[in-house]
Amino acid sequence: MPVPLYQPTSGSPLSVDTGFYGRLGREVTRRTLVDQLVAPIRTGKAWPVRAGHICRIVAMAGPQVGDLNLWHLHNPRERFWAARTKQLHSAHMRVFDRFWSCLPYLRPMATVIGDSINYGIDTDGAGVP
């Protein structure tokens, strides 16, 4: 299976506190729903997600492709950098992977804390049905 280009070392920005983020992923009963949106097929939605909040994205109609873009709420120049995120993790995000912002910022914008799809991973590291 392919490995990411950069490997995390202790204390590096790539290191994730798996205990903390794992607890966030498991403790669903302690959450308070703030808002709920549905994006019909072939449309899009934009909404703010504040630091410290959890955004849950649900595939409602079976296997689907969904695009995700992220921007810093107060600085639209800082945005999600898909190419760098692929280099730091892989093309298919997994639990504890992070979405990274563009230069000159290059910092995590969001962290995956759960995955209910569970398609499985093939020998090339891609998600499969």
Side-chain angles (χ1 to χ4, degrees):
M1 180 178 294
V3 295
L5 185 59
Y6 303 100
Q7 295 297 313
T9 58
S10 181
S12 82
L14 290 175
S15 294
V16 175
D17 184 344
T18 57
F20 173 74
Y21 286 105
R23 193 169 50 256
L24 287 178
R26 289 187 306 273
E27 294 180 353
V28 295
T29 59
R30 297 180 61 189
R31 298 180 192 165
T32 301
L33 181 63
V34 174
D35 202 354
Q36 185 172 341
L37 306 165
V38 175
I41 192 167
R42 292 182 296 282
T43 68
K45 294 270 185 184
W47 64 94
V49 178
R50 306 276 180 201
H53 284 198
I54 294 172
C55 175
R56 182 176 180 202
I57 300 172
V58 178
M60 298 176 64
Q64 300 175 50
V65 172
D67 291 328
L68 174 70
N69 283 296
L70 306 168
W71 285 268
H72 187 289
L73 183 61
H74 302 292
N75 178 7
R77 289 187 176 103
E78 183 175 7
R79 61 193 180 281
F80 168 53
W81 191 5
R84 179 64 68 193
T85 297
K86 283 186 202 181
Q87 289 176 329
L88 296 174
H89 299 291
S90 69
H92 301 276
M93 301 294 282
R94 296 179 178 87
V95 175
F96 305 129
D97 286 350
R98 292 177 159 173
F99 295 90
W100 291 83
S101 67
C102 61
L103 291 173
Y105 312 99
L106 195 57
R107 56 186 173 183
M109 298 185 82
T111 304
V112 179
I113 62 169
D115 181 2
S116 62
I117 301 291
N118 296 321
Y119 284 133
I121 304 298
D122 69 11
T123 56
D124 293 322
V128 296

